[in-house]
Amino acid sequence: MRSNHCILELEIIAARIRRNVLEICRQRGGYAAQGVALADIAACLYFDELRPDNEGWYYDRFVLSNGHDAIMTYSALAETGHYTMDELRTYNADGTKVDQSPIEGQLGFEITAGSLGQGPSQAAGLAWGLRQLGSDQRIYCLFSDGELQEGNVWEGAMFAAHQKLDNLCFIVDNNDMQASGHPGDVMRVEPVHDKFTAFGFQVRRISVMDISELLNAFEEARNTKGKPFVVVCDTRLWDGIDCLQKVLPMAHYTAKNAVDWDKGLDEVNETLIRLKAELNG
């Protein structure tokens, strides 16, 4: 059980990640709603769960499958000092190295993430290969509920369960939105929990995003032996910034709008002030 102090610190980091997302996207637009919603996951991964190596990076490995959620990774790595905000403000600009959908080898990204549905099978391959080498490294792979419509996801899941890859943790961003609308209208993916259970995974579903729940889920994943683990996170676009969730509830991609960005930044800054007061109180 983590202390309330630790949880508050991670909540502050998550709020800073949300602020980074807005600062990055306000120049040219982007996938801000997803980045904001995933801030709690990013804070828990990069500041608690992923073990550091001796070279200023991470011993455990994170695979981002859905490339448009790179905004989450960029914003978290700005907090770790691996990117500067000036670098990240070139997000989606002509000639930038900070692409909306990054390629393999770019700092923070294990795979080329533009083709959806590829991450889970590649993560399973990495987990299997590391086990063959006798490594105790863990693999974490984030992908979206829309990607569950891809057959490659289920091939990777079947392989992971057959090989009993308990060094593998899938994280499903179950946000009920894809570019064409709700997955239930495009091609139904529920019941996600039951499907992964049937494929041989240990499953934990988080219905309301919460730092302590995420930490408990990752702890359970580490302690699960003989089968892979999946955390199904019922996120919603703009989770953590109420004013934007109200006015842009279905914003898969967000264009420039100075009024909305400023309102969102004001709310995040107010949240940071409140959390810091609680931490110091």
Side-chain angles (χ1 to χ4, degrees):
M1 181 69 69
R2 301 300 204 290
S3 68
N4 187 54
H5 187 276
C6 171
I7 291 171
L8 277 170
E9 287 179 331
L10 289 173
E11 288 178 344
I12 288 170
I13 291 168
R16 289 177 60 89
I17 290 171
R18 290 186 172 97
R19 184 171 65 183
N20 292 348
V21 170
L22 297 185
E23 288 285 0
I24 294 166
C25 289
R26 71 185 307 183
Q27 307 297 317
R28 279 165 290 276
Y31 296 98
Q34 292 90 332
V36 165
L38 295 169
D40 292 328
I41 295 172
C44 290
L45 280 172
Y46 286 103
F47 290 86
D48 188 87
E49 184 62 20
L50 298 176
R51 291 172 292 177
D53 63 17
N54 295 321
E55 299 177 357
W57 190 241
Y58 294 95
Y59 180 68
D60 298 314
R61 297 167 73 172
F62 173 66
V63 176
L64 178 70
S65 180
N66 43 335
H68 53 277
D69 283 351
I71 189 67
M72 173 208 77
T73 302
Y74 290 132
S75 297
L77 292 179
E79 290 301 304
T80 65
H82 289 97
Y83 283 98
T84 68
M85 286 302 296
D86 283 343
E87 288 174 323
L88 296 189
R89 287 190 182 95
T90 67
Y91 173 76
N92 196 32
D94 290 343
T96 185
K97 295 181 180 179
V98 184
D99 294 319
Q100 284 188 326
S101 290
I103 62 173
E104 179 183 354
Q106 187 171 340
L107 182 63
F109 302 95
E110 293 275 351
I111 67 171
T112 298
S115 182
L116 297 179
Q118 304 296 310
S121 60
Q122 294 192 55
L126 281 170
W128 182 83
L130 288 169
R131 191 176 68 180
Q132 297 300 108
L133 293 172
S135 172
D136 68 342
Q137 288 175 281
R138 294 183 55 76
I139 302 295
Y140 297 80
C141 178
L142 173 68
F143 53 97
S144 64
D145 50 352
E147 289 180 272
L148 296 175
Q149 297 163 351
E150 303 279 354
N152 196 14
V153 171
W154 299 106
E155 291 181 57
M158 187 161 47
F159 173 82
H162 178 75
Q163 297 293 340
K164 300 180 181 179
L165 297 178
D166 51 18
N167 60 339
L168 176 65
C169 179
F170 285 166
I171 307 164
V172 180
D173 174 19
N174 201 46
N175 65 26
D176 193 35
M177 182 57 61
Q178 59 189 109
S180 302
H182 298 289
D185 298 327
V186 178
M187 187 162 66
R188 186 171 179 262
V189 298
E190 292 286 1
V192 177
H193 183 289
D194 294 346
K195 288 176 179 176
F196 274 106
T197 299
F199 269 73
F201 278 66
Q202 183 72 22
V203 185
R204 182 157 182 161
R205 188 159 191 165
I206 299 176
S207 58
V208 178
M209 293 306 293
D210 178 85
I211 293 286
S212 60
E213 285 293 317
L214 285 166
L215 294 176
N216 290 337
F218 289 136
E219 182 177 14
E220 183 181 349
R222 278 183 271 110
N223 292 330
T224 296
K225 304 303 178 186
K227 60 172 63 176
F229 198 90
V230 58
V231 186
V232 180
C233 299
D234 291 335
T235 66
R236 290 294 177 267
L237 299 179
W238 301 112
D239 263 353
I241 304 182
D242 292 341
C243 68
L244 295 181
Q245 197 170 54
K246 290 175 182 176
V247 299
L248 299 167
M250 299 177 68
H252 179 75
Y253 183 96
T254 311
K256 292 188 294 183
N257 185 322
V259 173
D260 289 336
W261 294 124
D262 288 345
K263 287 180 179 178
L265 284 166
D266 287 344
E267 182 176 327
V268 171
N269 286 326
E270 289 171 5
T271 299
L272 278 167
I273 292 170
R274 174 179 59 79
L275 290 171
K276 289 177 181 177
E278 289 182 32
L279 183 67
N280 297 324

